[in-house]
Amino acid sequence: MVRGPRQSPWPPLRVVLTRHAAGDVAEACSHYAGIDPELGTRFADDVGAVIERILMFPNGAPPVDGFDGLRRARMRRFPYGFFYQHTDAGDLLIVRVLHSRRSHVTALDVEPG
Protein backbone atom coordinates (compact mmCIF):
# COMPACT_ATOMS: atom_id res chain seq x y z
CA MET A 1 0.00 0.00 0.00
CA VAL A 2 1.33 3.43 -0.99
CA ARG A 3 0.45 6.38 1.19
CA GLY A 4 0.46 10.00 0.16
CA PRO A 5 2.19 12.79 2.07
CA ARG A 6 1.07 13.17 5.63
CA GLN A 7 -1.04 16.24 6.32
CA SER A 8 -0.12 18.38 9.30
CA PRO A 9 -2.90 18.92 11.84
CA TRP A 10 -1.81 22.57 12.14
CA PRO A 11 -2.41 25.31 9.61
CA PRO A 12 0.71 26.33 7.64
CA LEU A 13 2.76 29.13 9.13
CA ARG A 14 3.34 32.31 7.19
CA VAL A 15 6.55 34.33 7.49
CA VAL A 16 6.21 38.11 7.48
CA LEU A 17 9.17 40.51 7.41
CA THR A 18 8.87 43.97 8.88
CA ARG A 19 10.14 46.83 6.72
CA HIS A 20 13.20 46.97 9.00
CA ALA A 21 13.94 43.28 8.46
CA ALA A 22 13.43 43.56 4.69
CA GLY A 23 15.79 46.54 4.66
CA ASP A 24 18.35 44.66 6.75
CA VAL A 25 18.32 41.75 4.27
CA ALA A 26 18.52 44.03 1.21
CA GLU A 27 21.40 46.01 2.70
CA ALA A 28 23.41 42.91 3.63
CA CYS A 29 22.74 41.23 0.28
CA SER A 30 23.86 44.37 -1.55
CA HIS A 31 26.99 44.55 0.61
CA TYR A 32 28.00 40.96 -0.16
CA ALA A 33 27.10 41.27 -3.86
CA GLY A 34 29.35 44.36 -4.01
CA ILE A 35 32.24 42.23 -2.80
CA ASP A 36 31.45 39.37 -5.19
CA PRO A 37 28.18 38.63 -7.01
CA GLU A 38 28.47 34.94 -6.08
CA LEU A 39 28.78 35.91 -2.41
CA GLY A 40 25.57 37.94 -2.70
CA THR A 41 23.83 34.91 -4.19
CA ARG A 42 25.09 32.69 -1.37
CA PHE A 43 23.84 35.19 1.19
CA ALA A 44 20.39 35.25 -0.44
CA ASP A 45 20.34 31.43 -0.52
CA ASP A 46 21.22 31.31 3.17
CA VAL A 47 18.40 33.75 3.95
CA GLY A 48 16.02 31.26 2.36
CA ALA A 49 17.56 28.41 4.35
CA VAL A 50 17.10 30.25 7.65
CA ILE A 51 13.47 31.01 6.83
CA GLU A 52 12.87 27.35 5.95
CA ARG A 53 14.48 26.30 9.24
CA ILE A 54 12.31 28.75 11.19
CA LEU A 55 9.21 27.36 9.46
CA MET A 56 10.18 23.77 10.22
CA PHE A 57 11.17 24.46 13.82
CA PRO A 58 9.47 27.71 14.92
CA ASN A 59 10.48 27.19 18.55
CA GLY A 60 13.93 25.83 17.73
CA ALA A 61 15.88 29.06 18.09
CA PRO A 62 16.75 30.27 21.57
CA PRO A 63 14.76 33.08 23.18
CA VAL A 64 16.38 36.52 23.38
CA ASP A 65 16.95 37.69 26.94
CA GLY A 66 14.97 40.79 27.83
CA PHE A 67 12.57 40.55 24.87
CA ASP A 68 9.44 38.58 25.67
CA GLY A 69 8.51 36.11 22.94
CA LEU A 70 11.43 37.03 20.68
CA ARG A 71 13.80 34.36 19.30
CA ARG A 72 17.07 34.57 17.37
CA ALA A 73 17.90 32.12 14.56
CA ARG A 74 21.48 32.40 13.38
CA MET A 75 22.69 32.02 9.83
CA ARG A 76 25.16 29.19 9.38
CA ARG A 77 27.69 30.81 7.00
CA PHE A 78 27.19 34.52 7.64
CA PRO A 79 27.35 36.44 10.95
CA TYR A 80 23.67 37.44 11.07
CA GLY A 81 20.76 36.64 13.34
CA PHE A 82 17.06 36.61 12.45
CA PHE A 83 15.01 38.04 15.33
CA TYR A 84 11.44 36.77 15.12
CA GLN A 85 8.29 36.15 17.13
CA HIS A 86 4.90 34.50 16.82
CA THR A 87 2.01 36.90 16.19
CA ASP A 88 -1.54 36.63 17.49
CA ALA A 89 -2.58 35.76 13.92
CA GLY A 90 -0.33 32.71 14.01
CA ASP A 91 2.33 34.13 11.69
CA LEU A 92 6.06 34.27 12.28
CA LEU A 93 7.12 37.91 12.23
CA ILE A 94 10.78 38.56 11.44
CA VAL A 95 11.45 41.82 13.23
CA ARG A 96 15.12 42.41 12.32
CA VAL A 97 18.04 40.67 10.62
CA LEU A 98 21.18 41.93 12.33
CA HIS A 99 24.93 41.45 12.03
CA SER A 100 26.29 39.70 15.11
CA ARG A 101 28.51 42.68 15.97
CA ARG A 102 25.54 45.04 16.03
CA SER A 103 23.82 45.66 19.36
CA HIS A 104 20.47 43.98 19.13
CA VAL A 105 19.30 45.80 22.25
CA THR A 106 19.59 49.16 20.47
CA ALA A 107 18.38 47.91 17.08
CA LEU A 108 15.34 46.17 18.52
CA ASP A 109 14.21 49.33 20.29
CA VAL A 110 12.05 50.28 17.29
CA GLU A 111 8.41 49.75 16.50
CA PRO A 112 7.98 46.73 14.22
CA GLY A 113 6.34 47.53 10.95
Side-chain angles (χ1 to χ4, degrees), residues 46-80:
D46 278 9
V47 166
V50 171
I51 290 173
E52 284 181 24
R53 194 169 75 232
I54 291 170
L55 282 169
M56 288 183 73
F57 307 104
N59 294 318
V64 178
D65 289 337
F67 293 88
D68 191 37
L70 198 65
R71 294 179 176 276
R72 175 180 25 210
R74 296 181 189 269
M75 294 182 86
R76 297 194 195 277
R77 293 188 284 181
F78 292 90
Y80 283 81

Side-chain angles (χ1 to χ4, degrees), residues 19-44:
R19 64 182 166 80
H20 292 292
D24 295 336
V25 170
E27 182 180 320
C29 196
S30 177
H31 168 75
Y32 286 115
I35 295 169
D36 180 347
E38 178 62 31
L39 194 58
T41 299
R42 276 192 252 149
F43 182 83

Side-chain angles (χ1 to χ4, degrees), residues 62-99:
V64 178
D65 289 337
F67 293 88
D68 191 37
L70 198 65
R71 294 179 176 276
R72 175 180 25 210
R74 296 181 189 269
M75 294 182 86
R76 297 194 195 277
R77 293 188 284 181
F78 292 90
Y80 283 81
F82 282 62
F83 292 83
Y84 70 96
Q85 62 192 17
H86 292 269
T87 67
D88 292 338
D91 297 329
L92 292 173
L93 179 68
I94 299 178
V95 179
R96 295 298 304 256
V97 179
L98 301 173
H99 191 282

